[in-house]
Amino acid sequence: MVNKIAIACQGGGSHTAFTAGVLKRILKENKRKFEIVGLSGTSGGAICALLAWYGLLKNDKKLSIEKLDGFWTDNSASSLWDSILNEWILWAVRMQEVITTPEISPYYFPTWAQDQLRGLLKKHVDFDEIKTLVNSSSPRLLIGASDVLSGKFKVFKNDENSADTILASAAIPTFFRSVKIDKTIYWDGLFSQNPPLREFIVDSEEKPDELWVIQINPETRKNEPVSVKEITDRRNELAGNLSLNQEVYFIETVNKWVKAGEFVDKDKFKNIKIKWIKMEKEMDYESKLNRNPTFIQDLMNYGETQAEDFLK
């Protein structure tokens, strides 16, 4: 019997290069028998989920791996100018912990960063082709975003997704402008579901046997945060995990109801195992903005190692 799995990718900026490494190793696996029936993601996790899903739609896992490698190579600060800009951004953000600096709205700046990301997404994914590939047997893709004005959660599903929905999921409000889609404006999916999980059991006829969660933000810390920087880092981690823990709690509650025989329609829900692949390194918030090629590659390698241990 082939296990049906869904993979959920938590957001976390450049830290999600780890997620790319995890997905690469999972896609290379040929000993364990499983079928990927869904992927979900938020922010950087949404990008990784999209790239892996695109190859799976074409029944080509090698293509998924190529897309993951290609995107993160292109997104790295490889040129001299981009490297200087990357170091300046990291320095400027870290200086905010030392001296008081004015916060400036992203609406005062050109949209070149979002435009560049949109260009990268369109380079690696043919969104028009997606609409011709998706059918009832395709794996699902769920991308989380947040409606700025209503505060409601939004999950873009399957071929609803475009470069704009991914940008919406990654629109960190302190760095990027909101993204307008069909008269609604969206911010980062970290404010909604990070990443979406419950839709795999509520809206899906083919429910997975297992949910594999790729977690970027550590649940625990060894020492109490004392400095302003340590407190900021920990706050960011806790905020990033808040909605994930709520999603997991929902799944676990449904599992308890299934076990207790609470549902009249016995076929509507089933027990779904939740398994974790975690990034266990402690890193500061600023490094989520780091596009240094060595930093990115090290995280991808680490992701592959963690996935290797998980698959054993």
Side-chain angles (χ1 to χ4, degrees), residues 193 195-203 207 211 242-258 263 268-272 274:
Q193 295 162 279
L197 294 184
R198 67 186 68 187
E199 282 76 13
F200 283 125
I201 67 169
V202 173
D203 298 336
K207 296 173 174 56
L211 272 171
L242 182 61
S243 61
L244 171 60
N245 290 333
Q246 292 296 322
E247 292 289 290
V248 169
Y249 177 75
F250 177 85
I251 303 293
E252 290 176 340
T253 300
V254 173
N255 284 344
K256 290 178 183 178
W257 291 341
V258 169
F263 294 107
K268 187 172 183 179
F269 295 102
K270 68 178 182 181
N271 186 76
I272 297 175
I274 301 176

Side-chain angles (χ1 to χ4, degrees), residues 49 84 106 109 116 132 139 148 163 185 242 279 283 306:
I84 292 171
F109 294 98
Q116 183 179 22
T132 68
V148 177
I185 56 174
L242 182 61
M279 187 171 75
M283 292 187 287
Q306 289 294 88

